[in-house]
Amino acid sequence: ILLVIEAGQIYPHELKRAVSLLERLDPPVVAAIFNRVKTIHGSDYFSNLMTEYQTGDKQKPSWVKRLLWNN
């Protein structure tokens, strides 16, 4: 099942209903695509994802993230 969601065009209760219906169907696989999501410049997570997508290169995490998550 592929769920396509357009940012800013769906109300939270509509999305919750769709998720509830999918839970009742219990499909083997569910994927979601979020269209027209605006990234916030300065937000590392989405900014890095967009850079990785556009360039095809994996972004190297900052030294702080490496220190915290590679223990």
Side-chain angles (χ1 to χ4, degrees):
I1 302 237
L2 179 61
L3 182 63
V4 180
I5 304 155
E6 186 173 347
Q9 298 299 312
I10 188 168
Y11 293 105
H13 71 274
E14 294 173 324
L15 185 55
K16 288 178 185 177
R17 176 153 167 69
V19 169
S20 175
L21 292 171
L22 286 173
E23 286 175 340
R24 286 195 305 179
L25 288 173
D26 194 26
V29 178
V30 175
I33 296 177
F34 294 89
N35 285 337
R36 299 182 183 183
V37 175
K38 293 180 182 177
T39 59
I40 300 170
H41 296 290
S43 170
D44 287 342
Y45 181 73
F46 287 114
S47 178
N48 287 345
L49 283 179
M50 289 304 295
T51 302
E52 287 176 13
Y53 174 76
Q54 291 169 343
T55 64
D57 293 332
K58 180 82 173 148
Q59 298 295 301
K60 186 176 179 182
S62 70
W63 67 270
V64 174
K65 289 180 184 175
R66 289 193 309 265
L67 178 67
L68 293 175
W69 298 112
N70 289 332
N71 289 332

